[in-house]
Amino acid sequence: MVDSTMMLSSLWDLLPVRDPAFFDIILLSLKVTLTAVGAAGLIGLPVGAALALGRFPGRPILIVIINAFMGLPPVVAGLAVFLLLSRSGPLGQFGLLFSPAAMMVAQFGLVLPIIIALSRQTIEDLWLEYREQLTSMGAGRLRAIPTLLWDARFSLVTSLLAGLGRAFAEVGAILIVGGNVAGFTRTMTTAIALETSKGDLPLALGLGAVLMALTLVINALAFAVSRLGARFAG
Amino acid sequence: MSDQPSILPLAIEGLSYEIGGCRLVGVDRALITKGRRTVVLGPNGAGKTLFLKLCHGLIAPSQGTVAFAGGIKPAARRQAMVLQRPVLLRRSVAGNLRHALAVAGFGYLERRRRTVRMLDQFGLADLSDRPARVLSGGEQQRLAIARAVSVEPELLFLDEPASGLDPSATRQIEEILLGLHADGLTWVMTTHDLAQARRLADDILFFHAGRLIEAAPADRFFAEPDTDAARAFLESRLFW
Ligand SMILES: Nc1ncnc2c1ncn2[C@@H]1O[C@H](COP(=O)(O)OP(=O)(O)O)[C@@H](O)[C@H]1O
Ligand SMILES: [Mg+2]
């Protein structure tokens, strides 16, 4: 007990806690990524369900395209959002470029295909299993959507966590559209990417440790959720 | 329920179900009568499951008609089915009941009231918070029947409701079925188990190789079957 407390406190000493920028950077990262993934989940889950149950021409092509977008390189996403938000771009008049909002948009675009694609697959598999039963009970495709979303809840939370992991670790997109402006758009990953070479090693190391811890927490959550889900899957 | 006109009898005429030009089910005429315990009997692969799904409306006939009394197309909740392998949702036992009631359009209070009643009636009260899919086979089957009955259908189809259960769970299911019948529910069940058919049936629909070849009151069917196939089925059972 004493040992671990001592270890924790010496770890704490290693972190650049006296650097006020340290916490601002972490807070901004959390704000940007949680907002982006939250919005992507709000939109991506119903869209994924609709894509799983919908019947319309072009559906297979749409599915392939969205699956492909799961692997979209962050720098390409960043470039696209940059062009969209730059002064001469279609959304240029809002002056969002190099702001936290721009970073949220970029991460939203990066995570949305992941959430749509994963939830579509999950819900389509579950529909295959439930279809006959739900039809017999009088639930059509539309009525089936809330049932399937709820019964797939554990897998869906796992997809959200996958999106969260990707967004936290990502640097290319937010660097391009955010610009790593100190105190405004500097996040954990952009700070590490750019401050290391400038010699601010303690800050970079501290942020790296926080990122690792976050990744660990996300994976632990994913593990716990899937264990819980297995119980209900019988 | 009682203020609505009955959906029974259910009349089946010239029914045929084909896949890829291959005829899997053929029924010239059959009648499901109100208040009669109808048992669809036949060996594995005889077409019992397909026949039940055709009656329930899960699959559409290639030819022929399945007509409820007065030509009504009843709402889903007026005629329910317990599938051969019922799919329980990834929820608690009570959650499964509440969901079925919600799909059938019952309001919040009515859902709660009926859920409690079903849990009691089917001996599931102690299990109400368990994930449904970890229950034993017999408990799962009881829940599946409770779920189908919770919406108070007039007619209930059950596909091999006791297959794969041990003797005591089988007897439990049979007692439930007899109790439901006593309460005024008309049901149609399939089985390949001759002894079970003897215990439960008022009317027998005997299927062989996809065709309904005998429809008769149970006592007559067991005493003097009309067809060789039925005789063989009855006798092979006696010799074992
Ligand atoms: N989807 C299907 N495609 C092709 N053949 C089928 C299909 N469903 C059932 N069959 C066939 O129809 C026959 C009757 O099946 P089924 O109604 O399940 O029999 P039972 O319930 O009496 O055991 C079987 O020979 C089965 O192989
Ligand atoms: Mg069968």
Side-chain angles (χ1 to χ4, degrees):
Chain A
M1 199 61 216
V2 176
D3 274 354
S4 61
T5 323
M6 268 173 53
M7 247 172 65
L8 274 178
S9 74
S10 59
L11 257 177
W12 183 255
D13 291 342
L14 279 179
L15 291 177
V17 287
R18 264 179 291 276
D19 186 346
F22 180 64
F23 292 107
D24 290 347
I25 290 172
I26 295 172
L27 268 182
L28 181 69
S29 278
L30 288 173
K31 202 174 101 187
V32 167
T33 296
L34 289 176
T35 308
V37 174
L42 234 47
I43 294 175
L45 294 180
V47 170
L51 204 54
L53 297 187
R55 286 173 297 189
F56 50 88
R59 177 175 173 271
I61 297 172
L62 196 59
I63 289 175
V64 169
I65 290 175
I66 290 175
N67 285 351
F69 266 83
M70 279 213 286
L72 185 67
V75 283
V76 176
L79 188 59
V81 174
F82 182 92
L83 293 175
L84 210 64
L85 299 183
S86 69
R87 197 159 306 160
S88 52
L91 300 177
Q93 81 236 36
F94 301 111
L96 288 177
L97 204 57
F98 303 126
S99 73
M103 299 195 289
M104 290 172 192
V105 171
Q107 291 207 328
F108 172 83
L110 213 52
V111 170
L112 186 66
I114 297 179
I115 292 178
I116 293 180
L118 293 181
S119 60
R120 190 220 106 235
Q121 186 68 57
T122 301
I123 289 176
E124 201 170 319
D125 291 348
L126 199 60
W127 173 236
L128 227 58
E129 187 192 333
Y130 280 13
R131 180 179 189 159
E132 197 172 48
Q133 183 68 53
L134 292 179
T135 307
S136 163
M137 292 160 74
R141 282 166 185 266
L142 204 59
R143 178 59 186 81
I145 288 181
T147 299
L148 294 168
L149 282 173
W150 180 251
D151 275 48
R153 58 199 177 279
F154 301 106
S155 308
L156 295 178
V157 168
T158 308
S159 336
L160 287 180
L161 290 172
L164 211 54
R166 173 148 154 110
F168 269 127
E170 175 281 318
V171 58
I174 48 174
L175 190 56
I176 294 178
V177 304
N180 191 42
V181 182
F184 186 49
T185 59
R186 182 164 294 172
T187 66
M188 292 195 274
T189 54
T190 63
I192 293 174
L194 295 181
E195 302 313 302
T196 307
S197 55
K198 292 187 194 160
D200 197 344
L201 223 51
L203 181 65
L205 277 174
L207 291 173
V210 172
L211 262 179
M212 281 302 302
L214 256 177
T215 310
L216 213 64
V217 166
I218 289 173
N219 278 286
L221 274 177
F223 182 75
V225 165
S226 78
R227 286 291 284 268
L228 202 62
R231 216 170 103 71
F232 276 88
Chain B
M1 292 269 102
S2 49
D3 46 343
Q4 288 169 307
S6 174
I7 61 171
L8 292 169
L10 173 63
I12 294 120
E13 287 250 14
L15 187 70
S16 138
Y17 182 72
E18 292 154 23
I19 289 183
C22 180
R23 189 182 217 207
L24 298 176
V25 177
V27 175
D28 294 335
R29 276 190 52 80
L31 204 64
I32 308 293
T33 315
K34 190 175 177 65
R36 301 281 289 176
R37 296 166 301 192
T38 305
V39 171
V40 178
L41 183 65
N44 283 323
K48 305 182 295 295
T49 293
L50 289 175
F51 174 70
L52 226 57
K53 286 183 181 173
L54 284 162
C55 291
H56 180 51
L58 263 184
I59 52 179
S62 310
Q63 277 153 47
T65 54
V66 174
F68 290 93
I72 348 175
K73 174 155 188 344
R77 69 184 233 204
R78 298 201 63 191
Q79 49 106 10
M81 177 160 173
V82 177
L83 297 168
Q84 187 158 6
R85 272 179 235 95
V87 178
L88 298 176
L89 305 192
R90 289 161 170 75
R91 305 171 186 222
S92 68
V93 169
N96 268 273
L97 293 170
R98 281 194 297 265
H99 173 266
L101 290 162
V103 168
F106 289 98
Y108 177 76
L109 286 177
E110 187 64 12
R111 293 205 291 271
R112 288 193 43 171
R113 210 173 59 75
R114 283 180 185 239
T115 298
V116 171
R117 201 172 70 209
M118 286 299 132
L119 290 171
D120 282 342
Q121 184 180 336
F122 287 84
L124 296 167
D126 293 340
L127 304 172
S128 76
D129 295 326
R130 294 263 182 93
R133 295 160 73 105
V134 307
L135 300 183
S136 75
E139 291 161 349
Q140 291 202 10
Q141 194 63 12
R142 282 209 313 270
L143 174 56
I145 296 175
R147 177 176 67 177
V149 167
S150 67
V151 302
E152 272 181 41
E154 185 182 348
L155 174 63
L156 176 64
F157 297 102
L158 304 112
D159 196 1
E160 309 254 3
S163 70
L165 300 184
D166 67 32
S168 100
T170 299
R171 206 176 59 234
Q172 247 179 1
I173 298 293
E174 290 181 4
E175 270 161 22
I176 286 173
L177 291 179
L178 292 175
L180 290 171
H181 174 256
D183 290 343
L185 175 75
T186 302
W187 50 248
V188 180
M189 65 170 278
T190 67
T191 186
H192 61 265
D193 180 346
L194 201 51
Q196 184 169 59
R198 281 183 196 275
R199 290 193 294 271
L200 296 178
D202 288 325
D203 289 330
I204 294 282
L205 299 177
F206 181 72
F207 276 74
H208 178 75
R211 295 200 58 86
L212 173 64
I213 58 170
E214 269 194 64
D219 39 10
R220 206 186 80 205
F221 175 84
F222 289 117
E224 40 190 298
D226 283 337
T227 58
D228 289 338
R231 247 186 311 277
F233 186 71
L234 293 176
E235 279 160 16
S236 66
R237 192 63 188 166
L238 287 179
F239 289 139
W240 285 345

